[in-house]
Amino acid sequence: MLHINDDIAIQDWELTESFMRASGPGGQNVNKVSSAVELRFEAATSPSLPQPVKNRLRRLAGRRWTTEGALVLQCDETRSQARNRDLVRERLAELIRTALTPPKRRIATRPTLGSKKRRLKAKKVRGEVKAMRGKVDPDT
């Protein structure tokens, strides 16, 4: 069981782990030991998460969210399979914790009078600079 907070815990049957050989340096160890971990969490059908959290998690996950509604995380940072398992589970928990907090609503504000005047003055100056770039008439 993966504890997220006091209210939410992910059951083990909701997680699927598969192991594969890691890429990169590591000598002979990398060719014979399946230390990389791929964790698959069926988030869309999970009874543990409320719908608003699932929606935020989908937005946060990006490319790691599949079309079937699963969240796929990979880890091959260490040479230890057990350590990689712990790391990928912690990443999943952290991602879900981030999705638990709703985003703050943006409070619409109006620009101040001073900022409007500064913007218009800058536009005017820029326009004058560009107007001076025209061709020079040799007669005048």
Side-chain angles (χ1 to χ4, degrees), residues 100-118:
L100 283 173
T101 56
K104 291 182 181 177
R105 280 194 58 198
R106 182 187 178 280
I107 299 169
T109 57
R110 293 177 53 195
T112 61
L113 183 64
S115 67
K116 286 181 188 176
K117 287 182 177 178
R118 284 190 298 274

Side-chain angles (χ1 to χ4, degrees), residues 30-43:
V30 85
N31 297 327
K32 59 188 179 180
V33 179
S34 297
S35 61
V37 180
E38 181 181 89
L39 181 75
R40 186 177 180 91
F41 171 53
E42 300 294 336

Side-chain angles (χ1 to χ4, degrees), residues 3-39:
H3 290 283
I4 307 301
N5 63 10
D6 295 337
D7 302 328
I8 296 177
I10 307 293
Q11 302 298 326
D12 286 332
W13 60 267
E14 297 180 73
L15 302 173
T16 309
E17 290 175 338
S18 59
F19 304 99
M20 61 211 138
R21 292 193 184 115
S23 62
Q28 290 180 342
N29 187 64
V30 85
N31 297 327
K32 59 188 179 180
V33 179
S34 297
S35 61
V37 180
E38 181 181 89
L39 181 75

Side-chain angles (χ1 to χ4, degrees), residues 11-123:
Q11 302 298 326
D12 286 332
W13 60 267
E14 297 180 73
L15 302 173
T16 309
E17 290 175 338
S18 59
F19 304 99
M20 61 211 138
R21 292 193 184 115
S23 62
Q28 290 180 342
N29 187 64
V30 85
N31 297 327
K32 59 188 179 180
V33 179
S34 297
S35 61
V37 180
E38 181 181 89
L39 181 75
R40 186 177 180 91
F41 171 53
E42 300 294 336
T45 57
S46 173
S48 307
L49 299 177
Q51 193 58 41
V53 175
K54 289 179 188 178
N55 294 338
R56 287 193 292 269
L57 185 62
R58 181 178 187 171
R59 203 173 319 117
L60 284 171
R63 287 186 5 208
R64 296 174 291 191
W65 189 275
T66 64
T67 53
E68 299 90 39
L71 181 63
V72 180
L73 299 172
Q74 292 180 341
C75 182
D76 61 351
E77 289 178 15
T78 66
R79 290 174 61 169
S80 165
Q81 188 184 79
R83 182 73 184 120
N84 282 337
R85 277 185 74 200
D86 293 341
L87 283 172
V88 79
R89 282 174 171 256
E90 187 53 43
R91 280 188 201 156
L92 175 65
E94 195 56 44
L95 199 62
I96 294 173
R97 280 188 206 107
T98 307
L100 283 173
T101 56
K104 291 182 181 177
R105 280 194 58 198
R106 182 187 178 280
I107 299 169
T109 57
R110 293 177 53 195
T112 61
L113 183 64
S115 67
K116 286 181 188 176
K117 287 182 177 178
R118 284 190 298 274
R119 183 181 65 87
L120 292 174
K121 185 175 184 234
K123 283 171 69 86

